[in-house]
């Protein structure tokens, strides 16, 4: 498996791109790459196969050779996670990035125990670093973005800006509408959001208000109650499996 780096810009054969900063130091000092070795550069227009042409103490120069097969899912899923306490948020973001989420919204749900007022930017910086590292490890071609929604109107605006057309609200009180059947009702190449409540689930008024989101419907993952740190990963994996993106 070839190492991978994320670089902004558009690729073309023969173009030389520079990997600097923390990534450059990692490639030069930890991986100890050498000229002539190959790696994958994930650019704004997709992945490219490149050849290392120069290595400095904390930077690497790579010449792009040809396009490289993409690893991104054809079906786009935004994971909306009700703020979870402790290190659960970090684990959720890491694992859902590995599975294939295209974006994350951390939502300050009514029953969220954890609160991040006054340290939103610090938290977002930490979460984005975790997601970037997970994307690199999982051979993703894009780094999912991570944003924060303090209120339901904030959440609605963010989902609209991301082009979300269908919102699947995981709800332990739903007993009839299955997750798979909801996916089958919208088989096209839409952007969907999967919404997961915090440890205490959705508050009653909040549950009703969530139905104002784009194409919202409450769904169940089955008769077992999953923890908040389990539900999103299970739903995302099931959704990508449904659309043929998990190896079968």
């Amino acid at each position: 498996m070839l190492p991978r780096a994320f670089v902004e810009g558009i690729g073309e054969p023969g173009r030389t791109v520079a990997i600097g900063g923390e990534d450059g130091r990692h490639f030069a000092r930890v991986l100890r790459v050498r000229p002539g070795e190959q790696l994958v550069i994930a650019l704004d227009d997709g992945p490219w196969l490149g050849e290392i042409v120069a290595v400095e103490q904390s930077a690497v120069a790579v010449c792009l050779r040809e396009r490289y097969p993409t690893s991104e899912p054809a079906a786009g899923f935004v994971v909306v996670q009700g703020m979870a306490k402790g290190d659960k948020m970090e684990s959720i973001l890491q694992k859902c990035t590995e599975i294939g989420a295209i974006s994350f919204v951390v939502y300050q749900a009514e029953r969220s125990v954890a609160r991040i007022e006054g340290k939103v930017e610090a938290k977002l910086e930490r979460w984005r670093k975790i997601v970037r590292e997970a994307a690199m490890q999982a051979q993703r071609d894009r780094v999912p973005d991570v944003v924060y929604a303090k209120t339901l109107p904030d959440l609605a605006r963010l989902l609209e800006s991301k082009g979300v057309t269908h919102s699947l609200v995981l709800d332990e009180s739903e007993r009839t509408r299955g997750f798979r059947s909801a996916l089958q009702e919208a088989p096209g190449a839409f952007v969907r959001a999967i919404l997961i409540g915090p440890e205490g689930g959705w508050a009653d008024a909040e549950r009703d208000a969530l139905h104002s989101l784009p194409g919202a419907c409450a769904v169940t993952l089955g008769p077992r109650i999953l923890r908040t740190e389990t539900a999103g990963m299970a739903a995302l994996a099931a959704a990508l499996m449904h659309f043929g993106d998990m190896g079968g």
Side-chain angles (χ1 to χ4, degrees):
M1 192 178 299
L2 294 175
R4 178 168 302 229
F6 296 98
V7 179
E8 294 182 356
I10 303 299
E12 61 177 272
R15 178 192 168 193
T16 298
V17 299
I19 306 173
E22 187 176 334
D23 288 346
R25 288 190 292 274
H26 179 73
F27 278 103
R29 299 182 185 182
V30 179
L31 298 182
R32 297 184 179 276
V33 296
R34 295 289 182 265
E37 294 182 14
Q38 291 184 324
L39 76 166
V40 176
I41 301 292
L43 289 159
D44 297 337
D45 62 341
W48 285 76
L49 181 65
E51 180 181 329
I52 296 171
V53 293
V55 180
E56 298 180 359
Q57 190 169 2
S58 58
V60 175
V62 181
C63 181
L64 304 181
R65 298 304 187 196
E66 60 188 28
R67 287 195 174 273
Y68 195 77
T70 185
S71 63
E72 288 301 296
F77 284 91
V78 177
V79 172
V80 178
Q81 175 64 51
M83 178 76 72
K85 61 184 179 181
D87 60 359
K88 293 177 183 178
M89 278 306 314
E90 296 186 2
S91 179
I92 291 166
L93 293 168
Q94 181 189 64
K95 303 309 180 187
C96 286
T97 297
E98 293 176 13
I99 294 168
I102 64 168
S103 183
F104 295 96
V105 181
V106 179
Y107 169 54
Q108 191 72 66
E110 288 188 33
R111 292 180 176 172
S112 291
V113 176
R115 300 282 165 175
I116 61 171
E117 287 85 349
K119 51 184 178 180
V120 173
E121 290 307 316
K123 280 291 188 181
L124 285 173
E125 182 179 358
R126 169 65 179 165
W127 291 336
R128 287 166 180 161
K129 184 175 186 293
I130 288 169
V131 165
R132 193 174 193 279
E133 291 173 350
M136 186 177 293
Q137 184 276 328
Q139 298 282 290
R140 296 286 302 271
D141 298 330
R142 64 184 290 177
V143 179
D145 65 325
V146 185
V147 294
Y148 171 71
K150 184 178 181 180
T151 66
L152 190 61
D154 291 341
L155 174 58
R157 286 192 293 271
L158 285 168
L159 293 185
E160 183 179 3
S161 71
K162 294 176 182 298
V164 170
T165 55
H166 296 77
S167 301
L168 307 176
V169 183
L170 303 188
D171 191 347
E172 68 274 12
S173 67
E174 176 64 34
R175 291 290 181 267
T176 58
R177 193 172 199 175
F179 185 70
R180 184 180 180 185
S181 65
L183 292 174
Q184 291 173 330
E185 291 172 9
F190 300 111
V191 177
R192 302 166 178 82
I194 300 173
L195 286 81
I196 306 99
E199 289 88 350
W202 304 114
D204 291 340
E206 183 179 46
R207 179 183 287 108
D208 294 337
L210 288 172
H211 286 90
S212 66
L213 296 176
C217 65
V219 295
T220 176
L221 282 177
R224 293 164 297 283
I225 302 300
L226 304 182
R227 294 177 183 270
T228 187
E229 64 268 32
T230 307
M233 289 181 259
L236 181 60
L240 292 179
M241 176 67 80
H242 173 78
F243 288 105
D245 198 75
M246 296 291 285

